[in-house]
Amino acid sequence: MNKKDIGNIRKQFKVNNDLLRISDIFTVYILKESSEIYHHQSQPFEMLEAEQQELFFNNFKKILGGQLDEKLFELKFQRNVENSSQLILHQGLLSGEVEDWKEQMLRIIEKMLNSRQYEMDIVITFIRGNYFKPTKRNNEQTEESDRDSVYTHPFILCSINSTQEPKKELLFDYVIKEFKYNIVVDPIINLNAPIGGFLFPCFTDNSADVNHILYSAGKANDLDHKFIEEVLNGEETMTAKDDKFIFEEIVKEVTGDQLNTATLSNVYEEINRVIEENEDDEAPKLDVKDVERVLKQSGIEDIHTEQIESAFQKVIDDEKYEIKASNIVPKYTSKSIKIETKVANVSISPQDLRYIRQIHFEGKRYLMIEVVEDTIIDGFKMIPEVFGEKG
């Protein structure tokens, strides 16, 4: 799934929307002490009050929120796995009876409980329904509604939420004019910050892709690898942060850890060019040959394929690994590069990196920024000085 596909289904999670029909909701309460199911209940989603539906919709939208490769990850299922979650979810998706669907979802719960013991009581919610996506009309003059013909996408969504102890509060009773200690023992289910979840199946080119599942992490760049591998049976994946680190380490292996700003700026420009040339592909990747080409075209000479392959092998232990270009420079025009010093930290866009220099003068190092206009500090215009002159 690309960000457009995810955005399209995410915005459908709202009350009284005819493009999204949720048939059933199944909620399971897990005790932290015993890692056992304390209670579970199932009911038609439409039987919930509108306020309850709104609470759940906001929760489900959070599962589908965030950036790809940071919080959302399209995972490929492992092959030849015993008790495969792919098969379990597919059977649940095709189940005609609610009890059959619940049985499959309880199998997923069992895998979760076998994988780990949670530090707090958790509530796991499953929904199943249909997402309807209107087809594009070929003739804009036709009186046919764009909703008369739609793609139908059955899906299962899972949301995992933590619980919180109720707050201890002091209340004032207006009737009897008395202060009261508020005693509440019911735990609060935190639907505002789910700690994980998934959507099955993925949707690609308006068709279901049952070989992939969309995993949602609780926090950006913080994957639950045990959940991915043991519960979902997904293949290992990398975050955007991981990819960027891998690229930087490979470059250091090849060139050393010292690059002037002009060369570094060229590297980012070359990667951005790769992204622009492959704009039809949401995730262009860089292999050994691509990295070699990027570095050479950036002005780094005297490098060869064997060096790059050796660097890949040393850093990632896989000379065939491919790095997502967008993970290195996610948004070339807006993503900032941080320049850190003991005196000050500077953030600058990659394309402006060429205006930065580190120079030596009279035994000291300076960070020099070339500017084309007056510099303003807290509303005051800085007075130009001759370099080396004491202000």
Side-chain angles (χ1 to χ4, degrees), residues 214-254:
L214 187 71
Y215 162 70
S216 175
K219 298 178 181 179
N221 293 303
D222 186 14
L223 300 183
D224 186 339
H225 292 282
K226 288 194 69 175
F227 185 86
I228 289 173
E229 296 173 17
E230 298 179 9
V231 179
L232 299 181
N233 303 134
E235 292 186 353
E236 184 180 1
T237 190
M238 293 286 188
T239 67
K241 187 177 180 180
D242 292 333
D243 257 356
K244 184 171 177 60
F245 174 79
I246 288 168
F247 177 77
E248 291 172 352
E249 291 301 305
I250 287 172
V251 173
K252 288 177 183 178
E253 280 293 319
V254 175

Side-chain angles (χ1 to χ4, degrees), residues 282-318:
E282 289 251 340
K285 297 180 179 180
L286 305 177
D287 59 14
V288 168
K289 289 290 186 182
D290 295 321
V291 172
E292 180 182 5
R293 183 174 64 253
V294 163
L295 296 183
K296 284 185 175 179
Q297 292 180 349
S298 300
I300 301 174
E301 301 176 349
D302 299 325
I303 58 174
H304 48 79
T305 305
E306 289 74 16
Q307 280 179 288
I308 309 293
E309 290 177 345
S310 176
F312 266 77
Q313 190 66 36
K314 184 173 182 179
V315 174
I316 192 68
D317 195 25
D318 183 3

Side-chain angles (χ1 to χ4, degrees), residues 12 18-19 131-137 145-153 206:
Q12 306 306 328
D18 60 352
L19 291 179
Y131 158 50
F132 303 98
K133 186 178 180 183
T135 61
K136 292 183 179 180
R137 286 177 289 175
S145 168
D146 62 356
R147 297 194 177 191
D148 289 342
S149 180
V150 297
Y151 297 103
T152 304
H153 299 304
N206 297 317

Side-chain angles (χ1 to χ4, degrees), residues 265-275 294 297-298:
S265 178
N266 289 340
V267 170
Y268 286 127
E269 283 187 358
E270 283 299 321
I271 295 172
N272 184 62
R273 185 178 59 78
V274 171
I275 296 172
V294 163
Q297 292 180 349
S298 300

